[in-house]
């Protein structure tokens, strides 16, 4: 049976890339599959987080997932740090994954930057913890944005090596689900850079908590080029900012880039941006309102997360047991 697992880091505000690249797909998948959605606070601390800000961002991230339409009764929504099995299995995977495998991870190189010697050991081992998140529940499908593909390949390698080393068929082969026309939303200031929580400029991204006015302003100020919009996707060659805005529009309206080109081909960016802003506000305003409502009621939010963690622990326990037996840890 298929089981979905996905995770999101509670670092700063969620943005349109998280919504279109990840959370919106989760909302659709919950109709068909058994799903676990995890706020990965242990991944967040691979980079420094102010404790109070981390706690606030953790609640806000959980609230955003609920506000986007995840049903916490039919799915499991929980915090990674509330289920010890993630750390326990991650340690096992630290001993399965090879240093050479981790050395190839491009996200570590990006995040560690020039000061690699000064990066946390956790940042380096991050993909092993991610593999543990998924495999602790023997999840089979993982909806993510493009940027996580390499980590999922590593998850497959770890699962396979564990199965081979111990002569078991314990872990499944994990499939990434990279869905929709917006698997990689780019910065509004630079079409070659990913839209990211950590970009210094707030004008680079649309946050799920932005007001309608601020969304409209950011889209009006978004970088473009002097040419009108093309009437087919071929005309987007070498125009990363135009390609990005069109794919955001396609995702928001559930249409294809072809259709959007047909509709706006020849128009100036100003007309298109007005419509794009209207669409973005229409999609995000109800989510923002619901996030604010949930944030005002932390007891309800915490009790949803507590119940999620309880159910996650119950699913994880027998898998960890099986892993420990396979390894030869004495069961006393
Ligand atoms: P993160 O914010 O890094 O925890 O990412 C949470 C989810 O959002 C993951 O599935 C990412 O692949 C996805 N995601 C993050 N940034 C973007 C982006 N700019 N475009 C599309 N998906 C994204
Ligand atoms: N690394 C992911 C990101 O930054 C978040 C994540 C952690 C995740 N564990 C996961 C995603 C397990 C999918 C499955 O986006």
């Amino acid at each position: 049976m298929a089981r979905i697992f996905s995770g999101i880091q509670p670092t700063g505000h969620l943005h349109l890339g998280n919504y279109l690249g990840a959370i919106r797909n989760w909302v659709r998948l919950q109709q068909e599959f058994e799903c676990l959605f995890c706020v990965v606070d242990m991944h967040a601390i691979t980079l420094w987080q102010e404790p109070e800000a981390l706690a606030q961002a953790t609640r806000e991230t959980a609230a955003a997932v609920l506000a986007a339409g995840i049903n916490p009764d039919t799915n499991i929504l929980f915090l990674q740090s509330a289920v010890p099995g993630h750390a326990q299995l991650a340690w096992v995977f630290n001993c399965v994954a090879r240093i050479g495998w981790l050395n190839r991870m491009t996200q570590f190189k990006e995040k560690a930057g020039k000061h690699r010697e000064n990066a946390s050991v956790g940042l380096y081992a991050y993909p092993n913890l991610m593999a543990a998140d998924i495999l602790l529940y023997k999840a089979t499908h993982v909806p993510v944005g493009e940027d996580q593909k390499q980590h999922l390949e590593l998850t497959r390698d770890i699962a396979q090596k564990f199965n081979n080393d111990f002569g078991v068929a314990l872990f499944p082969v994990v499939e990434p689900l990279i869905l929709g026309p917006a698997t990689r939303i780019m910065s509004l200031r630079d079409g070659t850079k990913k839209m990211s929580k950590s970009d210094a400029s707030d004008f680079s991204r649309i946050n799920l908590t932005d007001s309608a006015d601020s969304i409209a302003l950011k889209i009006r100020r978004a970088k473009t080029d002097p040419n009108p919009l093309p009437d087919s996707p071929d005309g987007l060659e070498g125009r990363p900012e135009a390609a990005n805005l069109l794919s955001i529009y396609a995702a928001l309206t559930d249409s294809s880039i072809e259709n959007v080109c047909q509709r706006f081909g020849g128009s100036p960016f100003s007309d298109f941006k007005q419509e794009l802003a209207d669409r973005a506000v229409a999609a995000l305003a109800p989510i923002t309102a619901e996030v604010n409502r949930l944030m005002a009621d932390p007891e309800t939010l915490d009790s949803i997360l507590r119940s999620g963690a309880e159910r996650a622990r119950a699913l994880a326990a027998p898998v960890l047991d099986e892993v420990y037996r396979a390894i030869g840890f004495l069961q006393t």
Side-chain angles (χ1 to χ4, degrees), residues 89 92-93 96 138 159 161-171 317-331:
L89 188 58
V92 172
F93 289 168
V96 173
K138 298 189 181 181
K161 180 158 164 54
F162 184 96
N163 286 349
N164 284 342
D165 285 353
F166 296 105
V168 289
L170 210 157
F171 293 123
V319 180
L320 198 64
D321 229 52
E322 243 186 303
V323 169
Y324 277 14
R325 269 175 220 281
I327 294 173
F329 286 166
L330 191 60
Q331 314 281 303

Coordinates of all heavy atoms in Angstrom, one line a residue, residues 89 92-93 96 138 159 161-171 317-331:
L89 N 16.7 6.3 14.3 CA 16.9 5.7 13.0 C 18.0 6.5 12.2 O 18.8 6.0 11.5 CB 15.6 5.7 12.1 CG 15.7 4.9 10.8 CD1 16.2 3.4 11.1 CD2 14.4 4.9 10.1
V92 N 21.4 5.2 13.1 CA 21.6 4.0 12.3 C 22.1 4.3 10.9 O 23.1 3.8 10.4 CB 20.4 3.1 12.3 CG1 20.6 1.9 11.3 CG2 20.1 2.6 13.7
F93 N 21.4 5.3 10.3 CA 21.7 5.7 8.9 C 23.1 6.4 8.8 O 23.7 6.3 7.8 CB 20.6 6.5 8.3 CG 19.3 5.7 8.0 CD1 18.1 6.3 7.6 CD2 19.4 4.3 8.0 CE1 17.0 5.5 7.4 CE2 18.2 3.5 7.7 CZ 17.0 4.1 7.4
V96 N 25.2 3.8 8.0 CA 25.0 3.1 6.8 C 25.5 3.9 5.6 O 26.2 3.5 4.7 CB 23.5 2.8 6.6 CG1 23.2 2.2 5.2 CG2 23.0 1.8 7.7
K138 N 8.2 3.5 6.6 CA 8.2 2.8 5.4 C 7.3 3.5 4.3 O 6.5 2.9 3.6 CB 7.7 1.3 5.6 CG 8.5 0.5 6.5 CD 8.1 -1.0 6.5 CE 9.0 -1.8 7.4 NZ 8.6 -3.2 7.4
A159 N 18.3 3.0 1.9 CA 17.4 1.9 2.1 C 17.9 0.6 1.4 O 17.9 -0.5 2.1 CB 16.0 2.2 1.4
K161 N 21.1 -0.1 0.7 CA 22.3 -0.6 1.3 C 21.9 -1.3 2.7 O 22.5 -2.4 3.0 CB 23.3 0.5 1.6 CG 24.6 0.0 2.3 CD 25.8 1.0 2.0 CE 26.9 0.8 3.0 NZ 27.4 -0.6 3.1
F162 N 21.0 -0.7 3.4 CA 20.6 -1.4 4.6 C 20.0 -2.8 4.3 O 20.4 -3.8 5.0 CB 19.5 -0.5 5.4 CG 19.1 -1.1 6.7 CD1 19.7 -0.7 7.9 CD2 18.2 -2.1 6.8 CE1 19.4 -1.2 9.1 CE2 17.8 -2.7 8.0 CZ 18.4 -2.2 9.2
N163 N 19.1 -2.8 3.4 CA 18.5 -4.1 3.0 C 19.6 -5.1 2.6 O 19.5 -6.3 3.1 CB 17.5 -4.0 1.9 CG 16.2 -3.3 2.3 OD1 15.9 -3.1 3.5 ND2 15.4 -2.9 1.4
N164 N 20.5 -4.7 1.8 CA 21.6 -5.6 1.3 C 22.5 -6.0 2.5 O 22.8 -7.2 2.7 CB 22.5 -4.9 0.3 CG 21.8 -4.9 -1.0 OD1 20.9 -5.6 -1.3 ND2 22.3 -4.0 -1.9
D165 N 22.9 -5.1 3.3 CA 23.9 -5.3 4.3 C 23.3 -6.4 5.3 O 24.1 -7.3 5.8 CB 24.3 -4.1 5.1 CG 25.2 -3.1 4.3 OD1 25.7 -3.5 3.3 OD2 25.4 -2.0 4.8
F166 N 22.0 -6.2 5.6 CA 21.5 -7.1 6.7 C 20.6 -8.2 6.1 O 20.0 -9.0 6.8 CB 20.7 -6.2 7.7 CG 21.6 -5.3 8.4 CD1 21.5 -3.9 8.1 CD2 22.4 -5.7 9.4 CE1 22.4 -3.0 8.8 CE2 23.3 -4.8 10.1 CZ 23.3 -3.5 9.8
G167 N 20.6 -8.3 4.8 CA 19.9 -9.4 4.1 C 18.4 -9.4 4.5 O 17.8 -10.5 4.8
V168 N 17.8 -8.2 4.4 CA 16.4 -8.1 4.7 C 15.7 -7.4 3.6 O 16.3 -6.8 2.7 CB 16.1 -7.4 6.0 CG1 16.5 -8.2 7.2 CG2 16.8 -6.0 6.0
A169 N 14.3 -7.4 3.6 CA 13.6 -6.6 2.6 C 12.7 -5.6 3.4 O 11.5 -5.5 3.3 CB 12.7 -7.5 1.7
L170 N 13.4 -4.9 4.3 CA 12.7 -4.1 5.3 C 12.2 -2.8 4.7 O 11.0 -2.4 4.9 CB 13.7 -3.9 6.4 CG 13.1 -3.7 7.8 CD1 14.2 -4.0 8.9 CD2 12.6 -2.3 8.0
F171 N 13.1 -2.1 4.0 CA 12.7 -0.7 3.5 C 12.2 -0.8 2.1 O 12.8 -1.5 1.2 CB 13.8 0.2 3.7 CG 14.2 0.5 5.1 CD1 15.5 0.3 5.6 CD2 13.2 1.0 6.0 CE1 15.8 0.5 6.9 CE2 13.6 1.3 7.3 CZ 14.8 1.0 7.8
A317 N 7.1 2.6 16.1 CA 7.7 1.7 17.1 C 8.0 0.3 16.5 O 9.1 -0.2 16.6 CB 6.8 1.6 18.3
P318 N 7.0 -0.3 15.8 CA 7.3 -1.6 15.2 C 8.4 -1.6 14.1 O 9.2 -2.6 14.0 CB 6.0 -2.1 14.7 CG 5.1 -1.0 14.6 CD 5.6 0.1 15.6
V319 N 8.5 -0.5 13.4 CA 9.6 -0.4 12.3 C 10.9 -0.4 13.0 O 11.9 -1.1 12.6 CB 9.3 0.7 11.4 CG1 10.4 0.8 10.3 CG2 7.9 0.7 10.7
L320 N 11.0 0.5 14.0 CA 12.3 0.6 14.7 C 12.7 -0.7 15.3 O 13.9 -1.1 15.3 CB 12.2 1.7 15.7 CG 13.6 2.3 16.2 CD1 14.4 2.9 15.1 CD2 13.4 3.3 17.4
D321 N 11.8 -1.4 15.9 CA 12.0 -2.7 16.5 C 12.6 -3.7 15.4 O 13.6 -4.4 15.7 CB 10.6 -3.2 16.8 CG 10.6 -3.8 18.2 OD1 11.0 -3.0 19.1 OD2 10.2 -4.9 18.4
E322 N 12.0 -3.7 14.3 CA 12.5 -4.5 13.2 C 13.9 -4.2 12.8 O 14.7 -5.1 12.6 CB 11.6 -4.3 11.9 CG 10.7 -5.4 11.4 CD 10.1 -5.0 10.1 OE1 9.3 -4.0 10.1 OE2 10.3 -5.7 9.1
V323 N 14.2 -2.9 12.7 CA 15.5 -2.4 12.4 C 16.5 -2.9 13.4 O 17.6 -3.4 13.1 CB 15.5 -0.9 12.2 CG1 16.9 -0.3 12.1 CG2 14.7 -0.4 11.1
Y324 N 16.2 -2.7 14.7 CA 17.1 -3.0 15.8 C 17.4 -4.5 15.8 O 18.5 -5.0 16.0 CB 16.5 -2.5 17.1 CG 16.8 -1.1 17.4 CD1 17.2 -0.2 16.5 CD2 16.6 -0.6 18.7 CE1 17.5 1.2 16.8 CE2 16.9 0.8 19.0 CZ 17.3 1.6 18.1 OH 17.6 2.9 18.4
R325 N 16.4 -5.3 15.5 CA 16.6 -6.8 15.4 C 17.5 -7.1 14.3 O 18.4 -8.0 14.4 CB 15.2 -7.5 15.2 CG 14.5 -7.9 16.4 CD 13.1 -8.5 16.1 NE 12.2 -8.0 17.0 CZ 12.0 -8.5 18.2 NH1 12.8 -9.5 18.6 NH2 11.1 -8.0 19.1
A326 N 17.2 -6.5 13.1 CA 18.1 -6.8 11.9 C 19.5 -6.5 12.2 O 20.4 -7.3 11.8 CB 17.6 -6.0 10.7
I327 N 19.8 -5.4 12.9 CA 21.2 -5.0 13.2 C 21.8 -5.9 14.2 O 23.1 -6.1 14.2 CB 21.2 -3.6 13.8 CG1 20.7 -2.6 12.7 CG2 22.5 -3.2 14.3 CD1 20.5 -1.2 13.2
G328 N 21.0 -6.6 15.1 CA 21.6 -7.4 16.1 C 21.7 -6.7 17.5 O 22.4 -7.2 18.4
F329 N 20.9 -5.6 17.6 CA 20.8 -5.0 19.0 C 20.0 -6.0 19.8 O 18.9 -6.4 19.4 CB 20.1 -3.7 18.9 CG 20.9 -2.5 18.3 CD1 20.3 -1.3 17.9 CD2 22.3 -2.6 18.2 CE1 21.0 -0.3 17.4 CE2 23.0 -1.6 17.6 CZ 22.4 -0.4 17.3
L330 N 20.6 -6.3 21.0 CA 19.9 -7.3 21.8 C 18.6 -6.8 22.4 O 18.5 -5.6 22.8 CB 20.9 -7.6 23.0 CG 20.6 -8.8 23.9 CD1 20.6 -10.1 23.1 CD2 21.6 -8.8 25.0
Q331 N 17.6 -7.5 22.2 CA 16.2 -7.1 22.8 C 16.1 -7.7 24.2 O 16.0 -8.9 24.3 CB 15.1 -7.7 21.9 CG 15.3 -7.5 20.4 CD 15.0 -6.1 19.9 OE1 13.9 -5.6 20.1 NE2 16.0 -5.5 19.3

